[in-house]
Amino acid sequence: MLNKPVLAESLIVFIIVLFVHAVVWDRYSWCAVALAIQAFYVQFKWDRLLQLGGAVFQFRTAANSGLLPASMVIPLLGIAMKERCKSAGIVYFERFGIVVASTGMLVALFLSVIAVGITKPVPTNTCILTGVAGSIIIYTMKHSLTVSEVIEVLEVLLIFVYLSMILLYLLPRCFTPGEALLVLGGISFVLNQLIKRSLNVIEGRGDPIDFFLLVAVVGVVLLGLFFTVLFIFMDSGTWISSMFFHMMTAVLGLGVIMPWLYRLIQRNPLFWLLQFLFQTQTRVYLLVYWTFLAASACGVVFYQNAKRSSESKKHQASTITRKYFHFIVVATYVPGLIYDRQLLYVAAVLCLAVFIFLEYIRYFRIKPFGQTLRHLLSLFLDERDSGPLILTHIYLLLGMSLPVWLFPRSCAPKGTLSGAGALVPYSGVLAVGVGDTIASVFGSTMGEIKWPGTKKTFEGTVTAIFAQIIAVALILIFDSSVNLNSSYAWILASVSLVSLLEAYTTQIDNLLLPLYLQIMFMA
C-alpha cells in the first residue's frame, strides 16, 4: 500500500517543480521533469529496501527515503541561478548554474540506479523509467556542456561516490538516502570547487569570503575523516589521545588549512579575518550583540540541564524549549541581513566550523569537554538524532546560512535581486526561523485537526503561513533594499507550498525547507 504522507509530499514537490518551470521553461526543464518522475518511482524502492534492511548502508529509520524532494533541490537551484545570471548578462555564472544543475541531476540519477540495482526482483518498469530519464539528461548534457564542464561534473560524481562509501559506513543511521544526497552532494561540489580554484589561482580574482567558506568546509570535513580513521586504532577517550587530538588539530590548521587559504586570498588569513571583522563600528556592534545571544543560548542549555538534574534523569526538552534556539537564531540573522550581509556570511562560516569541531569533541569524547558536551546535548535529542552524531543544531545553522551563502551576488545589481528574489537571503529566516517554529509551537499547543497520516496540524500550518506573511511585511518596513515589485501572489504561493511541505516531509526540515523557498524566490 502506498504511503499517503509520501504521496502528499511528492505532489507538493511536483507542484513546486512545475511552478518553477512555468517561469523558466527550457531544455533543462524536460530533464528536471523526467528526473522527478523517475525519482518518484525509485523512492518507493528505497523505502522498501529500508523497511526490509536490504540497503547497502544503515540509514535513518524514522523517516522515508526522501529521494524525490532531495533529488530536485540541486538541479532547481542551478536552473534558477542560470536564469538569474542570464538576465543579468553574467555569462560565467550562467554557465556555472548549468554545471550545478547537471551535477545535481547526475548525482541524483546515480543514487536512483543504486536503488534499482540492489532491488530484488529487478523492477522492470522502474528500470525503463530510469533509463529514459538518464538518456534525456545525458543527451541534454551532451548538447549543453563543454568538454571541461563535462569533466567537472564527472569529478563531482566521482568524489560523491567515494565520499558516500566512506561517510555512510563510518556514520550509520545519521542520514536518509535523500539527506545523504543533499549533504554529501554539497560537500563533493565544494571540494571540487576548492581543488579547481586552487589549481587556477589568479591574483586579485575571486572574493576572499567565498574562498573562506570553501576552505572552512573542506578543512573541517578532512579533519573529521583524519581523526575517525586514527581513532579506529586507539582509544579516543584517554588524556594521551585528547592531547594528540588538540596537537594535530593545531598542526593541520596552521600547517595545511592556513597556507591553503593564504594561497587563495594572497594575504595572511588571520590578519585578513581580524581586519574584516572589526572594519567598521557597525560590525563591532553586531559582534557584541551576537556574543550576547550566544551567551543566552548557552544559558538556556545550562538552565535546562539543571532543571533535568533537579526533576528527573529522563527529563527531555520539550518542543517549545527546543524552539527557543530558533528564536535566538532569528534574532541573530535578521540584523546581519539588514546591516551587514558580508559579516553575517563570514560569521556563519566561523560558527559552522566551531559547531562541527565541538561535535568532534563530543563524538570522540575528547577531554576535558567531551563527556560534558555529551551530557549537556543529550537533553535536546529527538528521533532525528538516531545515529552517533548529533546534527540537528548543525542543520539549523545550515538552513539559516545556505540562502546567504548561495545568494548569487555577482548576478544581483546593487547586491539585491528584483521582485521575490530580494527575499532570497531571508529564506532561512522565513522557512525555519518563523514558519517551522510557529507551526511547531501552535500545532503542539492549539492544533486539533491533523493532516492525514502525520502528526502535524492544519492550525499549525495555517498559522505558519500567516506568520511568514507578517514577517515579509516587517522585512519590507525595516530593510530598504527589498523591493518586491508587486510579486505578492508568487510570495504567498511560495510560502504556502513550503509550509505544506513542512507538514508532510519526514526529512530534516531545517535543511530542506529553506532551499525550496530559496528556489521559489529565485525563480
Side-chain angles (χ1 to χ4, degrees):
M1 181 180 290
L2 295 178
N3 191 321
K4 289 182 180 178
V6 175
L7 288 176
E9 176 191 53
S10 302
L11 177 62
I12 295 165
V13 173
F14 272 117
I15 292 173
I16 292 174
V17 171
L18 293 177
F19 263 54
V20 171
H21 291 292
V23 179
V24 294
W25 188 269
D26 57 16
R27 70 174 77 175
Y28 307 100
S29 302
W30 293 109
C31 298
V33 171
L35 180 68
I37 293 172
Q38 71 85 32
F40 171 74
Y41 281 92
V42 172
Q43 78 174 349
F44 290 106
K45 308 305 175 188
W46 265 116
D47 290 343
R48 186 168 178 270
L49 287 169
L50 295 177
Q51 291 169 4
L52 299 176
V56 178
F57 300 103
Q58 296 183 57
F59 292 100
R60 190 161 64 87
T61 55
N64 66 311
S65 65
L67 187 65
L68 173 58
S71 294
M72 301 314 301
V73 168
I74 300 177
L76 290 179
L77 272 175
I79 290 170
M81 183 185 298
K82 173 187 73 71
E83 287 301 314
R84 283 290 182 175
C85 295
K86 183 179 179 181
S87 301
I90 312 297
V91 177
Y92 175 82
F93 285 100
E94 179 188 349
R95 300 301 306 174
F96 183 74
I98 294 173
V99 171
V100 171
S102 302
T103 302
M105 290 178 190
L106 206 60
V107 170
L109 192 65
F110 171 79
L111 205 61
S112 297
V113 170
I114 292 294
V116 172
I118 61 178
T119 301
K120 303 298 180 185
V122 176
T124 306
N125 294 336
T126 307
C127 284
I128 294 172
L129 276 173
T130 303
V132 170
S135 300
I136 294 172
I137 292 169
I138 292 172
Y139 177 82
T140 304
M141 287 174 59
K142 178 185 175 184
H143 290 83
S144 304
L145 302 179
T146 63
V147 174
S148 62
E149 290 170 343
V150 171
I151 293 173
E152 185 175 352
V153 170
L154 295 177
E155 287 170 350
V156 176
L157 179 61
L158 186 63
I159 295 171
F160 175 79
V161 171
Y162 282 106
L163 206 58
S164 299
M165 290 192 294
I166 295 170
L167 291 182
L168 292 179
Y169 173 75
L170 295 174
L171 304 173
R173 303 180 309 280
C174 284
F175 309 101
T176 65
E179 291 161 6
L181 171 61
L182 274 180
V183 175
L184 302 183
I187 294 173
S188 302
F189 196 87
V190 166
L191 178 56
N192 185 67
Q193 282 296 306
L194 181 58
I195 294 171
K196 177 184 173 183
R197 298 190 187 193
S198 298
L199 295 174
N200 299 281
V201 174
I202 300 176
E203 187 172 357
R205 182 174 178 179
D207 195 331
I209 66 173
D210 292 330
F211 293 135
F212 185 64
L213 171 63
L214 296 177
V215 173
V217 171
V218 174
V220 292
V221 171
L222 294 180
L223 196 67
L225 288 174
F226 173 79
F227 286 117
T228 300
V229 174
L230 177 67
F231 289 136
I232 291 175
F233 304 101
M234 58 190 298
D235 183 6
S236 62
T238 65
W239 274 106
I240 293 176
S241 298
S242 299
M243 290 174 64
F244 186 74
F245 173 88
H246 294 302
M247 182 184 69
M248 287 305 300
T249 299
V251 169
L252 292 172
L254 298 175
V256 177
I257 296 174
M258 287 297 179
W260 201 347
L261 188 55
Y262 178 85
R263 171 176 167 77
L264 291 170
I265 68 175
Q266 300 295 311
R267 68 190 81 169
N268 187 298
L270 290 177
F271 291 158
W272 168 80
L273 182 60
L274 290 173
Q275 182 184 12
F276 179 87
L277 292 177
F278 301 101
Q279 193 170 18
T280 65
Q281 196 171 27
T282 301
R283 291 185 176 181
V284 174
Y285 290 151
L286 282 172
L287 290 172
V288 171
Y289 170 66
W290 290 339
T291 303
F292 168 75
L293 290 177
S296 302
C298 293
V300 172
V301 173
F302 287 121
Y303 172 75
Q304 290 296 324
N305 274 273
K307 187 177 178 182
R308 172 172 65 173
S309 300
S310 62
E311 290 182 359
S312 169
K313 292 294 182 182
K314 295 183 179 180
H315 173 74
Q316 287 294 114
S318 65
T319 299
I320 295 177
T321 300
R322 285 199 292 268
K323 297 306 176 184
Y324 286 161
F325 297 102
H326 287 235
F327 286 118
I328 290 174
V329 170
V330 170
T332 302
Y333 273 70
V334 170
L337 288 168
I338 293 174
Y339 295 110
D340 198 326
R341 293 183 184 179
Q342 283 198 325
L343 178 64
L344 180 64
Y345 186 114
V346 172
V349 174
L350 287 171
C351 196
L352 176 65
V354 170
F355 273 22
I356 296 176
F357 184 71
L358 289 176
E359 180 58 21
Y360 290 157
I361 292 176
R362 187 207 64 84
Y363 174 62
F364 293 123
R365 295 176 287 115
I366 301 298
K367 295 180 182 297
F369 302 113
Q371 203 60 43
T372 303
L373 285 172
R374 285 195 167 211
H375 175 74
L376 290 174
L377 295 180
S378 63
L379 175 66
F380 301 95
L381 294 178
D382 60 17
E383 70 277 0
R384 295 174 295 183
D385 292 310
S386 57
L389 296 183
I390 299 178
L391 297 172
T392 47
H393 61 297
I394 297 176
Y395 284 139
L396 174 60
L397 178 65
L398 283 174
M400 301 292 288
S401 303
L402 283 172
V404 179
W405 294 339
L406 299 177
F407 181 74
R409 299 189 307 276
S410 301
C411 304
K414 298 181 181 179
T416 184
L417 298 175
S418 59
L423 293 174
V424 164
Y426 288 94
S427 300
V429 171
L430 292 171
V432 175
V434 177
D436 180 46
T437 303
I438 296 298
S440 181
V441 171
F442 278 82
S444 61
T445 56
M446 300 171 57
E448 294 183 0
I449 306 172
K450 294 187 182 297
W451 291 105
T454 76
K455 297 179 181 178
K456 307 293 179 66
T457 64
F458 173 79
E459 293 89 345
T461 302
V462 172
T463 309
I465 294 172
F466 276 112
Q468 289 175 81
I469 296 303
I470 293 171
V472 170
L474 292 174
I475 291 169
L476 277 171
I477 293 171
F478 291 102
D479 191 345
S480 59
S481 67
V482 175
N483 181 11
L484 301 182
N485 292 339
S486 302
S487 54
Y488 303 109
W490 183 266
I491 292 170
L492 177 61
S494 303
V495 165
S496 301
L497 285 171
V498 172
S499 297
L500 286 171
L501 183 61
E502 185 274 336
Y504 278 102
T505 189
T506 57
Q507 305 304 296
I508 299 293
D509 49 10
N510 289 348
L511 185 63
L512 195 66
L513 302 182
L515 292 172
Y516 268 106
L517 191 58
Q518 177 176 0
I519 288 166
M520 292 292 288
F521 285 161
M522 285 181 67

